[in-house]
Each structure stands twice: as structure tokens, then as C-alpha cells.
Amino acid sequence: MVMVPVSIVVSAHPEAAHGLPFWTFGLIAIGLVAFALAYTLFVDWLTPSGAADPFERYRGRR
């Protein structure tokens, strides 16, 4: 949530990066999103089929 606005600011003002290339922040943001998606897929892969969701009562109605 923070890296995308930071990458926009650094793209507009490269001197704010203190020696890092402006595209580094964009890559970090993309990497964090990819890590979150990969972690979610990994946890879903480990979950046994037919397992009850213990947090179902906290989710809103769909």
C-alpha cells in the first residue's frame, strides 16, 4: 500500500531516492504483490480438500 505512492513520488522527484534508481521502488511494489499472491496460492495448496473454514463466521454474506 505504501510502495506504489512512493514509487510515483520517486518517479516525479528522483532526488528523493538517495541513490536508488527510480524503477527500484516499482519493482519492489511488484515483488511484494507477487509474494502475497504466491503465499496465498501456497497456503491454498497445503489446505486439505474439504477442510472447514474456521473464519467463515467473520466473512460477510456474498
Side-chain angles (χ1 to χ4, degrees):
M1 303 262 304
V2 173
M3 293 307 292
V4 174
V6 169
S7 66
I8 293 169
V9 169
V10 170
S11 295
H13 303 287
E15 67 276 0
H18 297 294
L20 289 175
F22 71 94
W23 46 265
T24 304
F25 292 94
L27 285 179
I28 291 171
I30 292 169
L32 289 173
V33 169
F35 177 77
L37 290 173
Y39 179 76
T40 301
L41 291 173
F42 178 70
V43 169
D44 285 344
W45 179 66
L46 286 179
T47 305
S49 61
D53 185 7
F55 299 105
E56 185 66 35
R57 61 182 163 181
Y58 301 115
R59 301 191 203 294
R61 303 256 191 261
R62 291 185 185 189

